Amino acid sequence: MSSQATGTAMTAMTAMTAMTAMSGSTAMTAMTAMSGNAAAAGNYDGTTAAGLLLARDGIVGQWSGATLNPEERTLSDPANLQDWSQIVRTMVVLQDLLASTGVSASASGCSPEVAFYHFNKPCDATATLETFDIKAHRLAGFTRPDHGAFKTQLELVRAYADLRADRLPEILSQAGYPVPFMTSIADLHPGRKEFTHELLGVTQVFATNIVLSVKQALACHRPDAFSPQVQPVIPTPGHGTLPSGHATEAFAMAVVLARLVEAERGDQNRTNVTSLFVDQLMRQAARIAINRTVAGVHFPADSMAGAMLGLLIGQYMIVRATGAGCLYPVGFDGTKVVSQPSAGTGGPTPIDFKTEVYLTDNADPLIRPPAHDGIVTDLGQPLQASPAMISAPLKLLWDKSVLEWKKR
């Protein structure tokens, strides 16, 4: 890939990042940015277009009709995606993933109040209303904290503000797509990892679609809604606070990258070297999440919920790409983000977001989201993956990405 093409690819990936659009640094939504890039290749300036018209008139000669014989493409073949532009592949893969997922709120208000589902449905264009049988599998459930819990968590937001001077460069850089912070751990040179960048872009945009739906359903206030002294150092995003979108995206990307490192090393048993990769990716994802609390736009509870959802989404991406493994349903209980005092020992204490929870010495975050102080817990029997769960467009991206890592 030429340096110009590499720059164009990176620009496209930057334009479609959800966090850039969500943070208020641009007025476009992520989908609008993606649509604009999809059309950008079809425009010339007026002088160039006029020059091409004149040039054709001068060289085309007598019309010869169809002299080429392109091979007819196979209907609905995922391999056809290789012929399309990167942004089109991204949108096709994203649509395929979103068609099998959903977020729903409990009409009765019972726990969990909001759930993220995977739908097993037949892939048959001839199916009718009577034969189109869909089965829903709950993968994640969320019960939001009440105002009292958020007010207690605000103490932690105030304490984290002391780190703003130290963390500001990171906070500003991470407002957009945080690939440079993952590149510092794993080799993500765009010239050698073109499909990996696409895979990470799809992972991020898919995660954003899910997390925004959960945010909308839970409708939780940001820290600055509870105190004018929070004074965030970046614009407060225009959507709810829980779960943290940055935490969701960062942990989802960390899982996908860690699995690619495993594939490259053939190391399913997790040697010390691969475990170190996993730990570094998890530490980076956790730091990105914590920086949002330092900035004053998130509570630590938001990071707990976002990390849970992000780890699950990362695992979901691998299951949908490979048809192998398990998905372990998990729940976030926001009523437990503060510890209740014993009799006569003072008021409730906020529970902080802990990086060490996600390290391989304590859990395997590539298998299931680990428990976090009884706030994140298992919800039941795992969903066993099967070839029927494979998203063919996503599998193409995954297989291409694996090859990039095996070649290095």
Side-chain angles (χ1 to χ4, degrees), residues 74-360:
T74 304
L75 182 67
S76 297
D77 187 351
N80 294 337
L81 289 170
Q82 299 173 87
D83 294 338
W84 315 141
S85 67
Q86 172 263 318
I87 198 68
V88 172
R89 279 196 300 270
T90 295
M91 297 178 77
V92 169
V93 176
L94 184 62
Q95 190 280 331
D96 196 59
L97 289 170
L98 291 173
S100 296
T101 56
V103 172
S104 180
S106 169
S108 64
C110 60
S111 179
E113 294 182 0
V114 176
F116 165 49
Y117 290 91
H118 167 75
F119 302 114
N120 274 342
K121 60 185 191 312
C123 296
D124 183 0
T126 64
T128 65
L129 183 62
E130 291 75 22
T131 62
F132 201 79
D133 184 29
I134 298 177
K135 294 182 179 179
H137 299 273
R138 186 181 64 174
L139 299 181
F142 300 85
T143 302
R144 73 178 185 182
D146 61 20
H147 268 26
F150 279 124
K151 289 176 181 178
T152 302
Q153 285 256 315
L154 197 64
E155 298 173 20
L156 294 173
V157 178
R158 190 228 58 81
Y160 273 111
D162 293 342
L163 297 175
R164 287 180 180 178
D166 293 334
R167 299 285 187 95
L168 192 58
E170 293 176 60
I171 291 168
L172 295 177
S173 297
Q174 291 163 359
Y177 199 47
V179 161
F181 293 87
M182 299 299 181
T183 300
S184 65
I185 301 167
D187 173 20
L188 287 175
H189 189 285
R192 296 191 297 271
K193 299 292 195 300
E194 178 183 2
F195 285 101
T196 300
H197 276 274
E198 285 192 38
L199 179 62
L200 293 177
V202 170
T203 300
Q204 185 186 29
V205 178
F206 175 67
T208 301
N209 273 269
I210 300 303
V211 77
L212 283 178
S213 294
V214 178
K215 284 173 179 282
Q216 151 61 21
L218 293 174
C220 300
H221 290 287
R222 295 273 178 171
D224 60 355
F226 291 94
S227 172
Q229 292 181 297
V230 172
Q231 299 177 24
V233 292
I234 56 175
T236 299
H239 46 268
T241 197
L242 190 148
S244 164
H246 274 69
T248 303
E249 293 184 14
F251 276 94
M253 290 169 57
V255 170
V256 171
L257 274 175
R259 285 299 192 197
L260 289 172
V261 169
E262 280 190 350
E264 178 253 335
R265 296 179 57 80
D267 186 17
Q268 300 299 323
N269 294 323
R270 203 72 49 77
T271 66
N272 290 338
V273 174
T274 304
S275 289
L276 184 59
F277 264 108
V278 176
D279 281 356
Q280 289 297 296
L281 289 167
M282 292 299 153
R283 287 180 187 274
Q284 190 72 285
R287 190 174 175 95
I288 289 169
I290 290 169
N291 283 342
R292 300 293 285 179
T293 300
V294 176
V297 296
H298 273 298
F299 297 95
D302 306 339
S303 294
M304 296 178 207
M308 182 194 85
L309 182 59
L311 291 172
L312 178 67
I313 286 176
Q315 293 148 12
Y316 183 77
M317 296 290 287
I318 307 308
V319 165
R320 295 299 308 277
T322 65
C326 287
L327 290 169
Y328 291 87
V330 285
F332 170 84
D333 187 351
T335 66
K336 297 181 179 180
V337 299
V338 297
S339 61
Q340 298 302 322
S342 303
T345 59
T349 302
I351 297 177
D352 201 357
F353 175 75
K354 301 179 178 68
T355 300
E356 60 270 17
V357 168
Y358 306 96
L359 304 184
T360 55

Side-chain angles (χ1 to χ4, degrees), residues 381-392:
Q381 292 298 314
L383 172 61
Q384 181 67 48
S386 69
M389 290 182 67
I390 290 176
S391 162

Side-chain angles (χ1 to χ4, degrees), residues 47-65:
T47 301
T48 301
L52 288 170
L53 185 152
L54 293 172
R56 179 183 181 277
D57 286 346
I59 68 172
V60 70
Q62 185 176 357
W63 176 247
S64 300

